[in-house]
Amino acid sequence: DIVMTQSPDSLAVSLGERATINCKSSQSVLYSSNNKNYLAWYQQKPGQPLKLLIYWASTRESGVPDRFSGSGSGTDFTLTISSLQAEDVAVYYCQQYYNNPCSFGQGTKLEIK
Amino acid sequence: EVQLLESGGGLVQPGGSLRLSCAASGFTFSGYAMTWVRQAPGKGLEWVSTISGGGTTFYADSVKGRFTISRDNSKNTLYLQMNSLRAEDTAVYYCAKSDDPRDYMDVWGKGTTVTVSS
């Protein structure tokens, strides 16, 4: 099974500053036949459904603000929030869907400094 | 609007059974894979089971032989029959949709809470 490891576990960033969350997979999630990374990012806020932010490692879901971006390939990935807003306080998860079973990172809690 | 609404959670004794439901609306239910993901108190997300639009099923090793995923396309509803429940099955259970079993999940429900305790 593929193990996903996020860093850091928690992060405090000032409003308007950049937030960066990392995700590492125990094996590559890049599928060579289509050159796609099977990696997604989700946002979880209390009392709300999880929200898909990014898929294929860097494709932003419709309606997601463009301050959210994803990058990386193979085993190392990053979610970046370019200018932190108060509403971005949440827990963020990466997920690989390259293999069955799919697997999630342990989550990164993002707070305001 | 695409929506998923879970129900059926509750308190059950170890060894007991429970059936969760997930009512879908706003999309052609039969054309999508559906998944159950759970989150134990204070923990991260754990994939539980997926069913394709055609009915092919997949299970996590931790629930294989105890849980059964199914769907009723005429009722736009996903189910999770949970038997032989254990304390470690205590969690919020979410349903989610995806285009394919091997795909990201683009819509999630708010979840239903299952507590296994004597």
Side-chain angles (χ1 to χ4, degrees):
Chain A
D1 295 359
I2 298 176
V3 176
M4 307 299 290
T5 304
Q6 291 180 226
S7 61
D9 290 335
S10 63
L11 181 63
V13 175
S14 300
L15 290 173
E17 296 299 305
R18 178 185 301 261
T20 301
I21 299 170
N22 300 301
C23 175
K24 189 174 184 68
S25 58
S26 60
Q27 65 186 74
S28 177
V29 298
L30 173 62
Y31 192 41
S32 56
S33 68
N34 59 12
N35 201 37
K36 288 186 173 183
N37 287 282
Y38 283 56
L39 190 286
W41 289 96
Y42 301 90
Q43 178 190 64
Q44 185 178 40
K45 295 181 180 181
Q48 296 185 21
L50 271 87
K51 180 180 182 180
L52 172 68
L53 299 174
I54 303 286
Y55 56 94
W56 302 129
S58 61
T59 302
R60 196 180 305 115
E61 172 72 332
S62 174
V64 173
D66 61 7
R67 63 180 181 273
F68 290 89
S69 64
S71 62
S73 184
T75 60
D76 293 279
F77 301 91
T78 300
L79 174 70
T80 301
I81 307 172
S82 60
S83 176
L84 189 72
Q85 305 299 303
E87 61 266 31
D88 300 335
V89 169
V91 179
Y92 293 84
Y93 292 92
C94 62
Q95 179 222 359
Q96 67 80 18
Y97 46 99
Y98 180 89
N99 260 358
N100 180 272
C102 71
S103 50
F104 297 86
Q106 79 276 18
T108 295
K109 186 174 184 179
L110 178 59
E111 299 173 314
I112 304 294
K113 185 187 292 183
Chain B
E1 182 189 3
V2 176
Q3 281 193 322
L4 299 172
L5 183 62
E6 303 92 338
S7 61
L11 174 64
V12 60
Q13 292 188 338
S17 298
L18 211 55
R19 188 176 83 155
L20 306 183
S21 299
C22 170
S25 60
F27 63 101
T28 305
F29 181 70
S30 60
Y32 292 88
M34 298 295 298
T35 293
W36 289 100
V37 173
R38 67 185 180 185
Q39 186 171 34
K43 302 295 185 182
L45 302 168
E46 180 190 14
W47 172 77
V48 173
S49 182
T50 296
I51 185 167
S52 71
T56 302
T57 59
F58 308 85
Y59 296 96
D61 287 345
S62 58
V63 307
K64 201 173 294 182
R66 300 188 299 124
F67 290 12
T68 302
I69 191 172
S70 62
R71 63 193 300 159
D72 186 336
N73 291 336
S74 68
K75 295 182 178 180
N76 291 342
T77 303
L78 172 73
Y79 302 101
L80 186 68
Q81 177 66 44
M82 305 187 294
N83 299 330
S84 303
L85 282 161
R86 306 166 179 166
E88 54 265 35
D89 296 319
T90 294
V92 177
Y93 285 73
Y94 301 98
C95 64
K97 70 175 272 289
S98 59
D99 285 354
D100 185 84
R102 188 184 175 211
D103 211 343
Y104 54 87
M105 290 167 268
D106 61 350
V107 179
W108 295 65
K110 287 187 175 182
T112 186
T113 300
V114 173
T115 303
V116 184
S117 175
S118 54

